[in-house]
Amino acid sequence: MRRSIVATLIILGIIIIDQIIKFEIKTSFFLHEDFIVARNWFHIFFTENRGMAFGMSFVGTMFLALFRVVAIAFFCVILSHLIRRKAPYGLVACVAMIIAGASGNIIDNMFYGLIFTESTPFDVAHLVSFGQGYGSFLSGKVVDMFYFPLFTWPDWIPVLGGGTFFGAIFNFADASISCGAVALALFYYKYVSHMGLFKKTENTNKKD
């Protein structure tokens, strides 16, 4: 029971924070508007993408949205098994973060095209009546804003020279997915591989 509450609070908290940030950026910034927060290493740079996390774009929005739905369902099944098997709270939190991040971005895909006007370099988007936005269901663009161009590679370095270190632009949901996945790989890979997620649940009557 406690693990279910923890997972639910994490998922809801991340989704709410993510959507508040996106709504504020979407309705306050011109497309590609750049606001420098800390010198030149931390920017709020508003952009949108139709593709994968961190601004990558090599598949269609509809396909990606459907893929996210399947991925969310898969991780929800995993989370359910972890809760029933009374897995460590940290492991439950990692999977919940991945689910929350994917859910935050699928909300953009599902609804932003229906409720917002198009963001352009000259016009800030605003809310409109449902269905009167710039797109259709599952065709909305994901809002990104966090940009950390930490430094520029020296020109003498092959391939990378002159490029920006960590030039990706991402959102809070992307960060949640990445942090959850990295923590899962670093701290719980052996645990997950040894416990067998889909084995028959044991000791389900143990108390937390």
Side-chain angles (χ1 to χ4, degrees):
M1 184 63 179
R2 293 177 184 174
R3 288 169 176 79
S4 297
I5 294 173
V6 169
T8 300
L9 291 176
I10 289 173
I11 292 171
L12 290 178
I14 290 174
I15 290 175
I16 291 171
I17 293 171
D18 177 64
Q19 289 301 309
I20 289 174
I21 295 171
K22 288 174 177 175
F23 181 87
E24 182 64 25
I25 295 296
K26 181 77 173 170
T27 57
S28 301
F29 279 59
F30 296 105
L31 186 64
H32 301 150
E33 183 175 347
D34 185 10
F35 176 76
I36 299 176
V37 178
R39 296 188 178 179
N40 289 321
W41 64 271
F42 178 22
H43 297 223
I44 299 296
F45 186 91
F46 172 37
T47 186
E48 294 178 309
N49 76 83
R50 296 179 181 275
M52 299 294 287
F54 297 99
M56 294 182 286
S57 182
F58 50 86
V59 293
T61 303
M62 184 71 71
F63 176 84
L64 179 61
L66 294 175
F67 172 80
R68 283 184 174 133
V69 170
V70 173
I72 291 169
F74 173 74
F75 278 100
C76 283
V77 172
I78 291 178
L79 181 60
S80 176
H81 279 266
L82 290 173
I83 291 172
R84 288 203 299 269
R85 292 180 64 86
K86 302 191 184 301
Y89 282 95
L91 177 54
V92 171
C94 288
V95 177
M97 289 173 66
I98 295 172
I99 293 171
S103 299
N105 284 332
I106 194 65
I107 289 172
D108 297 24
N109 289 144
M110 293 172 66
F111 300 115
Y112 277 27
L114 297 170
I115 63 174
F116 285 113
T117 58
E118 186 84 29
S119 293
T120 75
F122 311 102
D123 293 302
V124 174
H126 59 271
L127 284 171
V128 294
S129 299
F130 191 84
Q132 301 301 310
Y134 65 82
S136 58
F137 184 66
L138 286 179
S139 69
K141 290 176 278 189
V142 177
V143 175
D144 293 323
M145 74 293 294
F146 297 128
Y147 180 40
F148 293 89
L150 299 180
F151 63 85
T152 300
W153 294 102
D155 292 334
W156 53 266
I157 297 180
V159 182
L160 298 176
T164 301
F165 176 80
F166 196 66
I169 303 170
F170 60 99
N171 58 46
F172 192 76
D174 295 332
S176 177
I177 295 172
S178 299
C179 290
V182 170
L184 186 66
L186 289 178
F187 304 114
Y188 296 106
Y189 173 76
K190 290 184 178 180
Y191 181 90
V192 172
S193 63
H194 284 103
M195 74 179 289
L197 289 177
F198 298 99
K199 290 181 180 179
K200 184 178 179 180
T201 303
E202 300 174 355
N203 299 323
T204 55
N205 293 322
K206 288 184 178 180
K207 295 182 179 180
D208 289 349

